[in-house]
Amino acid sequence: MESLNDLIYGFGIALDPMNLMYVFVGVFAGTLIGMLPGLGPISALALMIPITFNMSPASGLILMSGVYYGAIFGGSTSSILLNAPGVAGTVATSFDGYPMAKQGLAGKALAIAAYASFVGGTISVVGLMLIAPLLSKVAVSFGPAEYFALMVLGLTAVVSLSDKSLVKGLIAAVVGIMISIMGMDLQTGTERYTFDSIHMLEGIDFLVVALGIFALAEVFYMLLKGSNKPQERNVIGSLKLSKSEVKEIAAPIGRSSILGFFTGVLPGAGATIGSFLGYSMEKRLAKDGDTFGKGNIKGVAAPEAANNAACGGSFVPLLTLGVPGSGTTAVLLGALLVMGVTPGPMMLEQRPDVFWGVIASMYIGNIFLLVLNLPLIPYIARILDAPRPLLLALILIFCMIGVYGISFSTFDLLMLLLFGLIGLVMRLYGFPAAPLILGLILGALMEESMRRALQISGGEWSIFIDKPISLTLLAIALFSLTAPMIKTAIKRARSA
Amino acid sequence: MNAMLKRPMKTLMAVGVSLGLAVGFSATVSASDWKPTKAVEYIAPANPGGGWDTLVRTTANVIRAEGLSDQNFAAINVPGGGGAIAWAQIARDSKNDHKLFATSPPIILVPLSGTSRFNHKDFTPIARLITDYSIVLVRADSPYQTVNDLFDAIKNNSRLSVGGGSAAGSMDHISIAGAASVAGLKASDVNYIAFSGGGEAMTNLLGGHVEAVITGAGESLGQLEGSQLRALAVSSPERIQGALASVPTYQEQGIDYTFDIWRGVMGPKDMSPAAVTYYQDLFAKMMETDSWTEATTRLGWLDAYQNSEEFGVFLDEQLEQFSAVLGELGLLRQ
């Protein structure tokens, strides 16, 4: 009841005409930023800090958070249409979204992404409103040992992500982990795999690899396999979902939203890991799991619900502890400090206007996003009508601009090309790309957490099973690895 | 309207300057006339939310609020390696007059511990601005009431973990290890856990994963407002006024130790002298404004301005001092 009163108070702030305009401008700008591959919300938000300086903290945060969740919402578009993830959180969306677009179902894939994003975003706002202070306890309960266990659990998804050959999937995952630890080690300052190059000190940005392995490799592949195939890409298809399709995606969206929200609450996990977890969970649960990766609608719905929910979840540590859980929320924290608000445990009491105003604005923002995006789909999807040479050139340009926008480094452009070639080779020899990306996302955090945990325990490995959360996560990981084997063993025993 | 008026003025000035140079009588004129012609990249070599980041955002903010520059000072975070990653990036861009970065003891400590190829001599000092102190925090329900309680516990339990937001051998580690050494322990007795930022160290303290955290006093203000944490000691010579007035110093608790976290601004190595003069004067002007006073009061900072030349001399002195301390602690790797 109390939170209802607070929410009404929050809507009082969010419905102020100026704040309504900020929500609209924020989500609109965010959608556009999200659609362009590479150009992520972090740089956009950093650029906006000067603009928000003279606003009230509530208005400033309403505008900036709008850009953030707007970008995650819009990021699916280029994942689906071009196989080029718009933001890191939408990489998993391309696994099934792009095959759908190739089959002439681009409209439907985009519509599913929009609905799933809307539901995921809204569920996370409800969670944020009802249990944010409680959840801050969950966020701090994750120490190094727990993070390590979570990363291990995440990595078991390699099994479900390697479609044909498990060995090739494992090879790809290990390469991904190796890429993730390139650069300077945070705990000792030692350089690893830097080949004595200054450019490698910083490691390799995630999006450089993702854009190379997915988008650029696709461009190269199309060039190689070239014109002997008739052009079949200019079908957008209907946006409408049949009743049975709605039924099919409803449960995955609900589950992935909740999973994504909790992943987002954990500092350091966030939308990218959330979307991968959602995707691999649904692939395992689905009866038609083997069609994931070939254009299954649940494979679009799950990661999109999860990444938008994670985005809402990431506001929990920010607003209740004053601790940023991701790069983007860190920029938001910086902006709040600049506006004279010090986020911390007392923020809810000291600045309820900021807390409840932002939460209320998220409800409005999500509705804006849905209303804004659905009618635009046919127009945006028309990019697929472009003649193939033009389209390929366009993808190439988008990727180059995106990568250069991250680091302003021409070296990274060469790395992009290199990963494009690696991606092509992987495709030609049947190595799946998804496990590599998964290893890349989880590897560094897993390693860092493990070393920290062991340093705290004085080298005792028991720390990983002494802690209940860590033990539970590791047990689930073990179970999900052995379950398929047990299943086949039982089947064999029965048939024998 | 404004912009239209400004443009011809600037062109005129540029013409004047180049004419002056051609005739050969005007190094001083051109020096005082240099102005940034585009947004200044203002780098915090760490994740947002930490000490460098707060310095960058606060100063950029005051400069903007007081209208001290026509150009935007754009805060950019380049995290990692205790700062070394940003330094490598800036060293690569040695002639850029539109690049600045926040600096503090790590620019000396990190190279000394052998983890950065670049040290303060690879950059141009612009100005020292402020000083902050480090603070030791525990959870409110912790059994340690004084910093001596904590050190006694460390003596008996070598695993007792103290988290910090910078790499091993860097500022936070040196600060606590130095204090422990003065308190009669071995510096290496402190089981220091390096996190990738002060914020991450703080969540780990709140969640009970580490026993104590060492961080900047200014950074800890938001957290100390709640009732979840207790501060055991601050490294200043005298108590800090304001919100932290109740926190005792090391010296009050019988440990003759202080640790300064001075903070300032540097630029790339080959920055033009005219630009250096412009920036050092800009920061001097900035520190006389009301917005600055308001910000420092809020953040618990103490003014400690030095211009480019003085700051350079000071940095060389710090290098000698830190080398001595690090050597004593067995952390000198260079």
mmCIF file of all heavy atoms in Angstrom, chain A residues 5 31 86 117 143 174 195 198 215 246 249 321 358 377 402 436 474 482:
data_model
loop_
_atom_site.group_PDB
_atom_site.id
_atom_site.type_symbol
_atom_site.label_atom_id
_atom_site.label_comp_id
_atom_site.label_asym_id
_atom_site.label_seq_id
_atom_site.Cartn_x
_atom_site.Cartn_y
_atom_site.Cartn_z
ATOM 1 N N ASN A 5 1.276 4.624 -2.682
ATOM 2 C CA ASN A 5 1.318 6.063 -2.409
ATOM 3 C C ASN A 5 2.582 6.687 -2.988
ATOM 4 O O ASN A 5 2.535 7.745 -3.605
ATOM 5 C CB ASN A 5 1.287 6.317 -0.898
ATOM 6 C CG ASN A 5 -0.122 6.226 -0.356
ATOM 7 O OD1 ASN A 5 -1.090 6.417 -1.093
ATOM 8 N ND2 ASN A 5 -0.231 5.908 0.922
ATOM 9 N N THR A 31 16.574 4.883 -28.561
ATOM 10 C CA THR A 31 16.254 3.918 -29.608
ATOM 11 C C THR A 31 17.185 4.089 -30.796
ATOM 12 O O THR A 31 17.736 3.121 -31.324
ATOM 13 C CB THR A 31 14.794 4.096 -30.091
ATOM 14 O OG1 THR A 31 13.961 4.124 -28.953
ATOM 15 C CG2 THR A 31 14.372 2.974 -30.999
ATOM 16 N N GLY A 86 23.450 -3.995 -31.908
ATOM 17 C CA GLY A 86 23.465 -2.553 -31.675
ATOM 18 C C GLY A 86 24.140 -2.215 -30.365
ATOM 19 O O GLY A 86 24.910 -1.280 -30.267
ATOM 20 N N SER A 117 10.625 -6.816 -25.140
ATOM 21 C CA SER A 117 11.332 -5.728 -24.463
ATOM 22 C C SER A 117 10.379 -4.971 -23.548
ATOM 23 O O SER A 117 10.710 -4.630 -22.416
ATOM 24 C CB SER A 117 11.902 -4.743 -25.479
ATOM 25 O OG SER A 117 12.837 -5.375 -26.297
ATOM 26 N N GLY A 143 29.751 -11.984 -3.304
ATOM 27 C CA GLY A 143 31.172 -11.665 -3.206
ATOM 28 C C GLY A 143 31.929 -12.427 -4.273
ATOM 29 O O GLY A 143 31.324 -13.061 -5.144
ATOM 30 N N VAL A 174 36.885 -21.631 -25.200
ATOM 31 C CA VAL A 174 38.212 -21.414 -24.626
ATOM 32 C C VAL A 174 38.912 -20.240 -25.320
ATOM 33 O O VAL A 174 39.537 -19.401 -24.670
ATOM 34 C CB VAL A 174 39.071 -22.695 -24.725
ATOM 35 C CG1 VAL A 174 40.515 -22.396 -24.374
ATOM 36 C CG2 VAL A 174 38.521 -23.759 -23.789
ATOM 37 N N PHE A 195 51.661 -9.013 -26.590
ATOM 38 C CA PHE A 195 52.668 -8.999 -27.650
ATOM 39 C C PHE A 195 53.468 -7.702 -27.612
ATOM 40 O O PHE A 195 53.840 -7.151 -28.638
ATOM 41 C CB PHE A 195 52.020 -9.195 -29.030
ATOM 42 C CG PHE A 195 51.235 -10.459 -29.116
ATOM 43 C CD1 PHE A 195 49.854 -10.428 -28.921
ATOM 44 C CD2 PHE A 195 51.853 -11.687 -29.343
ATOM 45 C CE1 PHE A 195 49.119 -11.600 -28.972
ATOM 46 C CE2 PHE A 195 51.114 -12.848 -29.390
ATOM 47 C CZ PHE A 195 49.749 -12.817 -29.201
ATOM 48 N N ILE A 198 51.421 -1.524 -27.006
ATOM 49 C CA ILE A 198 50.672 -0.613 -26.139
ATOM 50 C C ILE A 198 49.177 -0.741 -26.404
ATOM 51 O O ILE A 198 48.361 -0.685 -25.496
ATOM 52 C CB ILE A 198 51.118 0.842 -26.401
ATOM 53 C CG1 ILE A 198 52.442 1.123 -25.718
ATOM 54 C CG2 ILE A 198 50.081 1.818 -25.924
ATOM 55 C CD1 ILE A 198 52.924 2.530 -25.925
ATOM 56 N N ALA A 215 28.757 -9.622 -37.603
ATOM 57 C CA ALA A 215 28.374 -8.820 -38.770
ATOM 58 C C ALA A 215 29.375 -8.924 -39.909
ATOM 59 O O ALA A 215 29.020 -9.221 -41.055
ATOM 60 C CB ALA A 215 28.201 -7.370 -38.331
ATOM 61 N N VAL A 246 1.649 -16.289 -29.753
ATOM 62 C CA VAL A 246 1.620 -15.495 -28.523
ATOM 63 C C VAL A 246 1.723 -16.426 -27.325
ATOM 64 O O VAL A 246 2.472 -16.191 -26.380
ATOM 65 C CB VAL A 246 0.329 -14.656 -28.451
ATOM 66 C CG1 VAL A 246 0.218 -13.966 -27.085
ATOM 67 C CG2 VAL A 246 0.300 -13.631 -29.564
ATOM 68 N N ILE A 249 5.301 -17.775 -26.808
ATOM 69 C CA ILE A 249 6.368 -16.923 -26.271
ATOM 70 C C ILE A 249 6.018 -16.337 -24.905
ATOM 71 O O ILE A 249 6.894 -15.771 -24.245
ATOM 72 C CB ILE A 249 6.754 -15.769 -27.238
ATOM 73 C CG1 ILE A 249 5.553 -14.872 -27.516
ATOM 74 C CG2 ILE A 249 7.373 -16.306 -28.496
ATOM 75 C CD1 ILE A 249 5.923 -13.603 -28.267
ATOM 76 N N LEU A 321 22.259 1.518 -3.054
ATOM 77 C CA LEU A 321 23.568 1.422 -2.400
ATOM 78 C C LEU A 321 24.520 2.523 -2.854
ATOM 79 O O LEU A 321 25.550 2.751 -2.232
ATOM 80 C CB LEU A 321 24.228 0.075 -2.725
ATOM 81 C CG LEU A 321 23.543 -1.184 -2.225
ATOM 82 C CD1 LEU A 321 24.208 -2.408 -2.833
ATOM 83 C CD2 LEU A 321 23.617 -1.249 -0.719
ATOM 84 N N VAL A 358 11.903 8.651 -11.111
ATOM 85 C CA VAL A 358 12.530 7.850 -12.160
ATOM 86 C C VAL A 358 11.744 6.553 -12.375
ATOM 87 O O VAL A 358 11.488 6.148 -13.512
ATOM 88 C CB VAL A 358 14.001 7.541 -11.804
ATOM 89 C CG1 VAL A 358 14.558 6.471 -12.712
ATOM 90 C CG2 VAL A 358 14.822 8.797 -11.926
ATOM 91 N N ILE A 377 8.452 -0.192 -37.507
ATOM 92 C CA ILE A 377 9.080 -1.435 -37.975
ATOM 93 C C ILE A 377 9.092 -1.586 -39.499
ATOM 94 O O ILE A 377 10.146 -1.833 -40.094
ATOM 95 C CB ILE A 377 8.444 -2.655 -37.284
ATOM 96 C CG1 ILE A 377 8.883 -2.685 -35.814
ATOM 97 C CG2 ILE A 377 8.860 -3.966 -37.977
ATOM 98 C CD1 ILE A 377 8.223 -3.785 -34.998
ATOM 99 N N GLY A 402 30.954 2.245 -35.636
ATOM 100 C CA GLY A 402 30.680 1.805 -34.274
ATOM 101 C C GLY A 402 31.952 1.544 -33.505
ATOM 102 O O GLY A 402 32.115 2.002 -32.375
ATOM 103 N N LEU A 436 32.074 -18.643 -28.243
ATOM 104 C CA LEU A 436 33.211 -17.737 -28.158
ATOM 105 C C LEU A 436 32.798 -16.444 -27.459
ATOM 106 O O LEU A 436 33.479 -15.944 -26.563
ATOM 107 C CB LEU A 436 33.758 -17.439 -29.553
ATOM 108 C CG LEU A 436 35.059 -16.622 -29.601
ATOM 109 C CD1 LEU A 436 35.910 -17.053 -30.778
ATOM 110 C CD2 LEU A 436 34.811 -15.141 -29.684
ATOM 111 N N LEU A 474 26.931 -23.678 -8.050
ATOM 112 C CA LEU A 474 27.805 -24.711 -8.606
ATOM 113 C C LEU A 474 27.042 -26.027 -8.775
ATOM 114 O O LEU A 474 27.245 -26.750 -9.751
ATOM 115 C CB LEU A 474 29.028 -24.912 -7.706
ATOM 116 C CG LEU A 474 30.062 -23.785 -7.756
ATOM 117 C CD1 LEU A 474 31.158 -24.011 -6.728
ATOM 118 C CD2 LEU A 474 30.670 -23.665 -9.158
ATOM 119 N N THR A 482 25.270 -32.567 -16.265
ATOM 120 C CA THR A 482 25.123 -34.024 -16.236
ATOM 121 C C THR A 482 23.712 -34.476 -16.615
ATOM 122 O O THR A 482 23.530 -35.624 -17.017
ATOM 123 C CB THR A 482 25.473 -34.572 -14.842
ATOM 124 O OG1 THR A 482 24.747 -33.815 -13.873
ATOM 125 C CG2 THR A 482 26.945 -34.473 -14.567
#
